[in-house]
């Protein structure tokens, strides 16, 4: 899931194309919890320019690895086409709770990464490679570092303080 703007929204899907003739829209899933749609009555449509509009979710179903959404007021293919490229979000307060040692990517992105008290950069993104999660960190000069999100390396994560403390093995930061 991705977090948007300053109003604390979490993007859970992005419109890809219209579906059928009744205004349904196919959307790419951006949530690890697709079952969440069962409890959603309203989605917030976020345009590429950042405009927001709440709309009732009338129905949904899954099609392969995507979700098809039927939204109130979108009753034909032309109206549905206007949504292509828009994001569908829910308030952060409606996020699915995680275990205490689990974090959403957007909670880690923007965190300052430190070795002891020395900052080595900021988390730009979280990369997934075959079951492993890797923090992609950029320093002030724009140089990129990759640090595995492993218990043996990541000592402390404090998303509220936007800090992550790591104890990298010798040579990791020189790669």
């Amino acid at each position: 899931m991705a977090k948007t703007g300053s109003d604390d929204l979490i993007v859970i899907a992005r419109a890809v194309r219209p579906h059928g003739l009744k205004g349904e829209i196919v959307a790419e899933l951006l949530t690890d919890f697709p079952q969440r749609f069962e409890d959603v009555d309203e989605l917030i449509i976020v345009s590429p320019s950042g405009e927001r509009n709440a709309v009732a979710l009338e129905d949904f179903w899954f099609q392969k690895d995507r979700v098809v959404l039927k939204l109130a007021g979108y009753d034909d293919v032309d109206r549905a086409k206007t949504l292509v490229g828009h994001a569908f979000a829910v308030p952060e307060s409606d996020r699915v709770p995680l275990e205490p040692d689990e974090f959403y990517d957007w909670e880690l992105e923007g965190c300052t990464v430190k070795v002891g008290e020395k900052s080595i950069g900021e988390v730009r993104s979280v990369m997934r490679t075959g079951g492993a999660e890797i923090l992609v960190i950029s320093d002030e000069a724009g140089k990129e570092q990759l640090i595995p999100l492993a218990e043996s390396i990541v000592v402390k994560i404090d998303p509220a303080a936007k800090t992550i403390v790591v104890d990298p093995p010798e040579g990791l930061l020189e790669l």
Side-chain angles (χ1 to χ4, degrees):
M1 284 187 274
K3 191 170 175 182
T4 73
S6 61
D7 287 9
D8 296 332
L9 296 179
I10 298 174
V11 175
I12 59 173
R14 186 167 323 281
V16 176
R17 63 177 173 79
H19 176 83
L21 302 174
K22 297 180 181 177
E24 296 97 349
I25 188 88
V26 175
E28 171 188 11
L29 284 167
L30 300 175
T31 177
D32 291 333
F33 307 100
Q35 69 276 11
R36 74 174 312 126
F37 285 94
E38 295 171 15
D39 299 321
V40 173
D41 296 322
E42 183 177 84
L43 289 170
I44 300 164
I45 300 172
V46 182
S47 75
S49 66
E51 294 175 46
R52 298 166 183 214
N53 182 36
V55 65
L57 176 62
E58 292 181 348
D59 198 8
F60 74 94
W61 61 93
F62 298 103
Q63 186 178 63
K64 298 183 183 176
D65 58 347
R66 294 182 172 173
V67 64
V68 179
L69 305 171
K70 175 62 181 102
L71 305 172
Y74 292 83
D75 298 320
D76 62 54
V77 69
D78 290 330
R79 183 94 163 107
K81 281 181 186 177
T82 66
L83 293 175
V84 173
H86 288 59
F88 301 106
V90 294
E92 183 182 339
S93 60
D94 291 346
R95 72 180 178 190
V96 175
L98 299 176
E99 294 297 320
D101 61 340
E102 295 179 335
F103 303 93
Y104 286 109
D105 291 359
W106 56 264
E107 290 178 298
L108 302 177
E109 292 166 356
C111 284
T112 299
V113 180
K114 297 180 176 184
V115 176
E117 292 299 316
K118 181 184 178 222
S119 173
I120 60 169
E122 187 176 286
V123 177
R124 194 187 68 194
S125 64
V126 179
M127 180 172 49
R128 289 177 174 68
T129 58
E133 294 175 314
I134 299 171
L135 297 174
V136 179
I137 300 163
S138 292
D139 66 15
E140 290 179 5
K143 182 181 174 200
E144 203 172 78
Q145 298 266 355
L146 302 178
I147 297 183
L149 192 56
E151 286 183 35
S152 60
I153 297 172
V154 178
V155 176
K156 181 180 177 186
I157 298 175
D158 186 349
K162 298 299 277 179
T163 60
I164 298 173
V165 178
V166 297
D167 182 15
E170 189 174 324
L172 178 66
L173 298 179
E174 285 80 41
L175 296 177

